[in-house]
Amino acid sequence: MIALARMLGSMLIGAAAWQSAHPPLPNLSPAEFERRVRQAVQLDFQVQRDFTYLEQRRDVKISKLGKVTIGPLRTFQVLPAPAPGQTYKRLIAENGVPLSAEELARRDAEHQKDIADAQERQRRESASQRSDRLERAAAEQRQRDQILEDAFRVYAARIEGRTTVDGQPVLITHLTPRRDAEVSTREGRWMKQFEGQLWVAEADYQVVKIDMRATSDVTIGWGVVGRIHKGSRVLY
């Protein structure tokens, strides 16, 4: 009996420890999950306007014959600017090799000249030209907002599990497109052809990773500009 009691006690302690290390997944309604992610994305856009950060990217080019060319891994120091269109993506390295001080100075001088030229154009523009410029900037912002809204209209999210990234708990959700969702952008129409996973930080619901696959062929510009084939993967 004593041995049995000890075994049961060990099992209970083990179960309690497991539950402590593996708390249940959040029981959020779809509307509440969407609200938290939306708030985090909007905050992310605001934060990027105020902070310098590093960005790494490769440019992928596809020829008219379908040949794919992948460019070098480039590292940029992104320096946000309060004025639209003046954020400076400062190239500092290619394939891990830093640019020389002379090349950096040359690029910095070109950027400063571009800024000065833009400021001079704005100083000389008429009232109607200024109104047109501000309207174009506002239209671009509205377009970005509409794409984000389409994403929330298209995708239904279901929390499937939890993992850890850089020591922080991250929720893994499955994104299923609503085929009948009403959208207002071409990007929204494309979204209906993709399904996959969204990873968000459990602490603040910031987007950590997006992993999507095309469920059917996606044509861009009626196939003249490009085509994404079924099964293609998009990873962000």
Side-chain angles (χ1 to χ4, degrees), residues 9-30:
S10 297
M11 291 174 62
L12 290 173
I13 292 173
W18 189 93
Q19 290 179 350
S20 177
H22 301 81
L25 296 173
N27 184 21
L28 300 178
S29 67

Side-chain angles (χ1 to χ4, degrees), residues 111-213:
H111 177 68
Q112 290 302 321
K113 183 178 183 303
D114 291 340
I115 294 297
D117 290 345
Q119 291 174 342
E120 178 61 20
R121 287 194 299 270
Q122 292 180 18
R123 187 185 67 80
R124 299 171 58 182
E125 68 185 4
S126 65
S128 62
Q129 289 173 331
R130 181 175 185 275
S131 178
D132 290 343
R133 174 172 57 81
L134 294 178
E135 174 54 33
R136 286 195 299 272
E140 291 175 0
Q141 182 61 52
R142 287 194 299 269
Q143 178 73 3
R144 289 191 290 269
D145 292 342
Q146 289 170 356
I147 293 173
L148 180 60
E149 288 301 316
D150 279 352
F152 286 113
R153 292 190 188 103
V154 169
Y155 288 114
R158 183 181 71 253
I159 300 176
E160 292 186 322
R162 180 187 286 112
T163 188
T164 301
V165 177
D166 294 335
Q168 300 298 318
V170 172
L171 298 175
I172 305 173
T173 67
H174 188 82
L175 297 180
T176 303
R178 302 181 178 97
R179 306 294 184 185
D180 59 348
E182 294 185 3
V183 296
S184 60
T185 66
R186 61 178 184 178
E187 289 82 1
R189 294 193 295 273
W190 297 341
M191 291 176 198
K192 295 182 182 183
Q193 311 304 320
F194 286 87
E195 184 171 353
Q197 291 181 321
L198 170 71
W199 299 24
V200 296
E202 191 166 4
D204 56 9
Y205 286 79
Q206 284 282 345
V207 174
V208 175
K209 179 180 175 181
I210 301 174
D211 191 351
M212 309 293 286
R213 290 188 183 276

